[in-house]
Amino acid sequence: MRIVIAEDSVLLRAGLIKLLETSGFEVAAAVGEAEGLLAAVREHRPDAAIVDVRMPPGFTDEGVRAALVMRRETPGTAVLLLSQYVEERYAADLLSTSTSGIGYLLKDRVADVSVFLDALRRVASGGTALDPEVVSQLLLRRHRDPLDRLTPREKEVLGLMAEGRSNAGIAAALVVSESAVAKHINGIFAKLDLPHAEGDHRRVLAVLRFLGGDG
Amino acid sequence: MASLSAALRVRVHAPWSATAWRDTVFVASGVPLQLAGWLILGSLWSFWTPVRVTPIVLLTFASVLLLLLALRPLTSWQRERCWAMLGFDIPRMPGFDGGRAWDVLRDLRSPELWRVLQYHLLVAPFLALGGLAVIGAWTAGLALATSATYAWAVHPGDPLAGHPQRVAVLTAAGVLLLVAAPWAAAGVRRLDARAASALLGPDRAKELQRRVEDLAEKRASVVDAADIERRRIERDLHDGAQQRLVSLALNLGLARETLTGVPDEAMRVIVEAHEEAKAALTELRDLIRGLHPAVLEDRGLDAALSGVAARVPLPVRLRVDIEPRASSTVEAVAYFVVSEALTNVVKHARANEVDVSVARGGDVLRVMVRDDGAGGADPSAGTGLTGLARRVRSVDGTFRITSPAGGPTTVTVELPCAL
């Protein structure tokens, strides 16, 4: 799998390259700013790009903006955003274009190597990986609406779904059976008035679209 | 004591004392300057006294113009006189002093000009009269006190000779005048100094107002500087320590995942180090976030606060309505208020629910944080509340907290948006 990295910290960039190469990814290019990222993506057509949100020259949300441009130019390229803080507004920006092949994680998660690689693979294969912090912020934004009708357990399941986990992943995280998870999910769909959809991927899409809401 | 000080005053004002002479010289030197205003006004008329209307108007106009042009030099001479002879400093008037003489035309509407005119035309003549009286007292005193000698030595045929009673009366009167002259001089000097400082110096009320404005501006810039400093620290930590720590944690994580055949002991150390690094990262992130979150600058209070609220382990109802955006310093304070208040709620309140609202009404940003907790929060107990109140005061905001025992606790903060 071919990856492009955009990260302005030289140290972390080197660390990421080492991590990815050790784990069998191919790093097509590693750049230090947003403009370079767009050029590298146009040139190398990678499967996924790992993008730091805060990059030169402005050190605010260059990464998010570059990712949006990238999604428009090369919709097939998955994006995994890394940020020191996850802000649901940035996530909403991204999710508003499409929810497939999108990831948004706290930078710290890189340290949990297997979790990080798992998220990267999920994103590269068209899935979603949202940081639990983003999910909780998204849930908060929707505090007033039908989410209130969910039981605490259903909210937990919804949160894990929104992070991009499969039924099996949710079952493992909550230490329950997969059928129990499926039951909760059906309950959520019923309460949220979501049309019946098939397969993990479309299900997550629906939930995310709901969470991203008007964004 | 009273008698002592009275004796002292008599000595200080004795006709031969330095004070007496200083006052006299000061008062006498004032006379020409004090009469100058009217002299200038009348000077043209002494050359030519027209009888027809047009020339009269013209001449009046010219006289006034002449006087106006002379005002600045006259004022500055008065100031110099006070400083040189009394060591008494009349502060300059900002916006009036320092200009050129003809700037006076531009100042016609400035209150300073009218105060200066008041001194030179209304008060000065009386002071000049006082000065002349002092000079007169000295002269007459000296003449009378020495009349006997004069009569005896210089004019043997003087009418006074042979009238010892008259001589005695006149001498006594002279001595009295000599004694009184220093007191009169001191009195005139005091009046002059007072009038000069009131009319030629800066207006006190205006000066105070200017000072308040000045201080407010200075404080605003100090607050802004602190805010900028916080942002700088945030960026330094973010670009430095935080990146290094992430990279360290990444390498340790990599080692943990990929190293095989490592002795258990060593692996345990690696695992511990990895966990430590991750914990340090979390702590550092919270710390940096408290300084100044980047998203605040970027997306404003609403986005930044929803991030804060999401990290609180309680349901938070958040309403933010702040169009148009306030200055970044005010936003930073509002952010700090909410995040500190929420931290307090989590730590102390034992609440089930928190309500946060930030709303802008005109020029005031109203921040309210209410929880349904145990109440009894006391700002004087040295909790985070004190720092909070201080931070609010730094931008002239008001801070109120109601927290009866048993709850609920409401923190209300109002921040003026226009500093």
Side-chain angles (χ1 to χ4, degrees):
Chain A
M1 215 178 278
R2 286 151 50 78
I3 312 283
V4 164
I5 300 172
E7 159 65 60
D8 61 303
S9 156
V10 181
L11 212 56
L12 191 53
R13 199 159 66 213
L16 279 172
I17 295 173
K18 191 163 77 185
L19 168 66
L20 293 179
E21 285 179 345
T22 316
S23 317
F25 291 87
E26 182 195 335
V27 178
V31 298
E33 32 81 48
E35 276 305 309
L37 166 70
L38 292 177
V41 168
R42 277 179 214 128
E43 188 189 336
H44 298 287
R45 300 274 159 179
D47 298 297
I50 299 176
V51 183
D52 185 7
V53 165
R54 195 154 113 163
M55 278 190 291
F59 293 98
T60 55
D61 61 348
E62 285 75 12
V64 179
R65 278 182 271 138
L68 288 173
V69 174
M70 208 174 90
R71 296 289 287 182
R72 227 177 20 246
E73 285 185 359
T74 51
T77 312
V79 183
L80 178 56
L81 276 179
L82 294 181
S83 174
Q84 211 58 65
Y85 322 102
V86 289
E87 302 296 350
E88 124 273 340
R89 297 304 157 90
Y90 296 156
D93 280 359
L94 280 171
L95 296 176
S96 67
T97 59
S98 140
T99 51
S100 65
I102 293 279
Y104 185 35
L105 294 181
L106 264 183
K107 234 179 206 180
D108 307 12
R109 311 279 183 226
V110 177
D112 285 315
V113 174
S114 54
V115 174
F116 174 68
L117 292 176
D118 181 45
L120 180 58
R121 285 199 192 93
R122 210 156 66 215
V123 169
S125 59
T128 325
L130 287 190
D131 203 276
E133 272 209 29
V134 185
V135 173
S136 66
Q137 285 186 40
L138 285 167
L139 285 168
L140 176 91
R141 301 291 305 164
R142 295 269 139 192
H143 194 71
R144 298 170 291 279
D145 37 35
L147 280 181
D148 284 341
R149 282 184 270 154
L150 302 183
T151 65
R153 190 54 143 188
E154 283 168 343
K155 277 188 194 166
E156 264 179 292
V157 172
L158 179 62
L160 289 164
M161 268 164 66
E163 282 173 31
R165 290 181 201 265
S166 65
N167 281 13
I170 297 171
L174 296 180
V175 203
V176 294
S177 70
E178 267 191 62
S179 63
V181 172
K183 210 181 80 197
H184 285 310
I185 291 175
N186 281 334
I188 293 168
F189 283 150
K191 287 185 185 172
L192 299 186
D193 265 345
L194 287 171
H196 187 70
E198 279 171 24
D200 264 8
H201 176 59
R202 288 187 59 196
R203 177 196 68 182
V204 174
L205 269 188
V207 176
L208 281 181
R209 198 155 287 150
F210 175 77
L211 292 176
D214 30 342
Chain B
M1 276 311 274
S3 63
L4 184 73
S5 77
L8 202 69
R9 273 164 59 190
V10 168
R11 226 183 67 201
V12 164
H13 291 294
W16 55 85
S17 73
T19 313
W21 285 106
R22 188 201 62 187
D23 288 351
T24 305
V25 171
F26 174 75
V27 166
S29 69
V31 174
L33 284 177
Q34 284 151 349
L35 291 178
W38 284 105
L39 289 178
I40 290 169
L41 213 50
S43 57
L44 294 176
W45 303 84
S46 61
F47 295 115
W48 178 44
T49 313
V51 284
R52 293 170 59 147
V53 176
T54 320
I56 287 180
V57 169
L58 277 177
L59 204 59
T60 310
F61 184 74
S63 305
V64 170
L65 186 67
L66 211 57
L67 173 68
L68 288 178
L69 288 177
L71 274 185
R72 266 171 215 272
L74 276 180
T75 306
S76 102
W77 288 336
Q78 284 287 7
R79 186 173 285 126
E80 289 301 318
R81 185 171 71 99
C82 285
W83 173 244
M85 295 185 177
L86 300 180
F88 168 63
D89 186 30
I90 302 169
R92 296 176 157 272
M93 281 182 284
F96 182 77
D97 277 303
R100 286 174 297 255
W102 49 88
D103 282 345
V104 118
L105 298 178
R106 199 194 51 206
D107 290 336
L108 277 179
R109 277 184 311 180
S110 86
E112 278 81 14
L113 177 76
W114 294 102
R115 287 200 297 125
V116 169
L117 266 181
Q118 214 178 320
Y119 177 86
H120 288 297
L121 292 185
L122 293 182
V123 182
F126 290 103
L127 293 171
L129 276 184
L132 289 174
V134 169
I135 295 171
W138 278 110
T139 323
L142 275 176
L144 291 177
T146 53
S147 54
T149 327
Y150 167 82
W152 170 75
V154 187
H155 277 267
D158 193 85
L160 284 176
H163 293 279
Q165 274 170 330
R166 281 189 205 169
V167 171
V169 167
L170 287 178
T171 307
V175 170
L176 271 179
L177 274 177
L178 283 183
V179 171
W183 293 88
V188 175
R189 184 254 300 158
R190 214 169 292 139
L191 282 178
D192 193 358
R194 202 169 296 166
S197 86
L199 297 173
L200 301 184
D203 186 5
R204 220 177 126 64
K206 226 172 139 180
E207 190 60 10
L208 280 176
Q209 190 192 347
R210 209 177 54 80
R211 218 173 132 63
V212 167
E213 278 164 16
D214 197 40
L215 286 175
E217 203 172 291
K218 275 190 192 134
R219 195 193 50 179
S221 71
V222 167
V223 171
D224 284 346
D227 198 43
I228 289 167
E229 185 65 7
R230 259 192 292 278
R231 265 178 257 188
R232 191 188 62 75
I233 295 171
E234 186 260 351
R235 178 175 285 195
D236 283 357
L237 284 176
H238 177 272
D239 294 339
Q242 216 172 9
Q243 307 290 353
R244 279 170 191 279
L245 256 181
V246 172
S247 162
L248 170 69
L250 168 61
N251 281 323
L252 285 169
L254 202 56
R256 191 175 166 178
E257 297 277 326
T258 54
L259 287 185
T260 47
V262 180
D264 283 356
E265 187 76 1
M267 185 46 92
R268 205 170 59 243
V269 173
I270 290 175
V271 168
E272 267 172 29
H274 185 223
E275 293 304 322
E276 279 296 314
K278 285 199 289 180
L281 263 176
T282 309
E283 268 177 38
L284 188 60
R285 191 173 67 230
D286 289 347
L287 170 75
I288 295 178
R289 221 193 150 95
L291 286 174
H292 190 100
V295 69
L296 178 59
E297 215 157 314
D298 219 27
R299 299 286 169 108
L301 263 179
D302 192 9
L305 288 181
S306 65
V308 175
R311 274 184 301 279
V312 175
L314 298 167
V316 178
R317 216 188 328 270
L318 177 68
R319 276 185 302 270
V320 180
D321 175 20
I322 49 154
E323 286 307 319
R325 280 182 74 166
S327 77
S328 63
T329 302
V330 170
E331 283 193 346
V333 174
Y335 172 84
F336 180 80
V337 166
V338 174
S339 85
E340 269 300 297
L342 286 177
T343 308
N344 278 338
V345 168
V346 173
K347 268 198 209 152
H348 308 292
R350 298 197 297 280
N352 297 315
E353 210 179 55
V354 194
D355 236 325
V356 177
S357 88
V358 181
R360 180 166 182 165
D363 277 342
V364 176
L365 194 64
R366 242 175 99 91
V367 181
M368 196 210 63
V369 179
R370 174 187 287 138
D371 68 69
D372 61 352
D378 181 8
S380 61
T383 51
L385 290 172
T386 327
L388 230 164
R390 205 176 298 141
R391 186 91 186 259
V392 169
R393 272 201 304 273
S394 76
V395 291
D396 264 339
T398 59
F399 173 87
R400 268 193 308 273
I401 177 166
T402 57
S403 183
T409 301
T410 309
V411 172
T412 316
V413 165
E414 288 185 351
L415 305 167
C417 296
L419 282 180

